[in-house]
Amino acid sequence: MNFVVVSSIGAVFMGILALFVRMKAAKKPTNALKIILPPVFMSSGALMYVVPQFRLTALEIGEVIMVGMLFSILLIKTSKFEIRDNDIYLKRSKAFIYILVGLLVVRLGLKSILSTTIDFGELSGMFFLLAFSMIVPWRIAMFLDYKKLYKQLHEN
C-alpha cells in the first residue's frame, strides 16, 4: 500500500483521538503540566531529522513553520479556560471540533497534492514540523491564559 495513503489513514485516526481526548479533558480540571507536556513529548519526533531522508531545506523549514503558526491561530481562538468549582477547566467549544476536522482535511489535501512532487521522507519531515509549529504556539497561548486564571484564582 502507498505510504501516503497509510500515513493519511493514521492522521485521520490521530485526529479522531485528539477529538476524544479534548472532550474528555474538558470534564476534568487542568494544570500547567497537562498544557506543557504534549509538545515536550512530541519534540522527540525531531529525531527523525537525524536520517537524511527526512531533512528539509531552510526555505521549506521557514514555509512550514509559517503555515503551522497561521493554523495555530485557529486553535488558540477556540481554546479558553474557565474557573469552576475552585478549579480551572478547559471550556468546551463546538467550533474547536470543526476547526480540528477542517485542519485535518486541509492537511490531507495538501499531503495528497504535495506527495506527487515531494519525496515521502521529506514530506513526512514537513508535516511533523507543521504539526509541531502548530502545537507549540497554541500551547504557549494556553499556558499564558492558564497562568492568568491561576493567579486570579489564588489571589482570592
Side-chain angles (χ1 to χ4, degrees):
M1 194 181 266
N2 187 334
F3 286 128
V4 174
V5 173
V6 171
S7 64
S8 296
I9 291 169
V12 169
F13 283 112
M14 291 300 287
I16 292 168
L17 179 66
L19 287 174
F20 283 111
V21 167
R22 173 70 184 243
M23 285 187 260
K24 187 178 175 183
K27 294 178 183 177
K28 297 179 182 178
T30 194
N31 60 48
L33 277 179
K34 289 180 182 179
I35 296 167
I36 294 169
L37 286 180
V40 170
F41 293 145
M42 186 181 175
S43 67
S44 64
L47 287 172
M48 73 175 9
Y49 298 115
V50 169
V51 179
Q53 179 184 2
F54 296 105
R55 292 187 190 148
L56 307 174
T57 66
L59 182 61
E60 289 169 336
I61 291 169
E63 290 171 345
V64 169
I65 288 174
M66 290 303 291
V67 171
M69 291 176 81
L70 285 172
F71 285 174
S72 74
I73 294 169
L74 298 170
L75 297 172
I76 291 167
K77 293 290 183 192
T78 57
S79 298
K80 303 294 176 209
F81 294 101
E82 64 183 349
I83 296 174
R84 260 190 287 144
D85 303 324
N86 222 21
D87 278 315
I88 300 173
Y89 288 81
L90 189 60
K91 278 187 185 179
R92 284 189 166 192
S93 170
K94 290 182 183 181
F96 181 82
I97 293 169
Y98 296 113
I99 288 171
L100 196 60
V101 170
L103 288 172
L104 181 61
V105 168
V106 168
R107 183 177 184 264
L108 292 173
L110 285 171
K111 193 175 214 176
S112 66
I113 292 167
L114 295 174
S115 67
T116 60
T117 57
I118 299 174
D119 179 62
F120 176 75
E122 195 175 349
L123 194 60
S124 298
M126 291 172 79
F127 278 96
F128 169 80
L129 187 57
L130 175 72
F132 193 70
S133 59
M134 247 179 14
I135 289 172
V136 169
W138 174 41
R139 292 298 177 138
I140 289 171
M142 286 176 70
F143 181 74
L144 294 174
D145 288 346
Y146 172 82
K147 280 301 197 188
K148 285 180 194 172
L149 280 182
Y150 184 86
K151 185 178 178 182
Q152 178 184 336
L153 184 64
H154 290 87
E155 281 180 352
N156 296 333

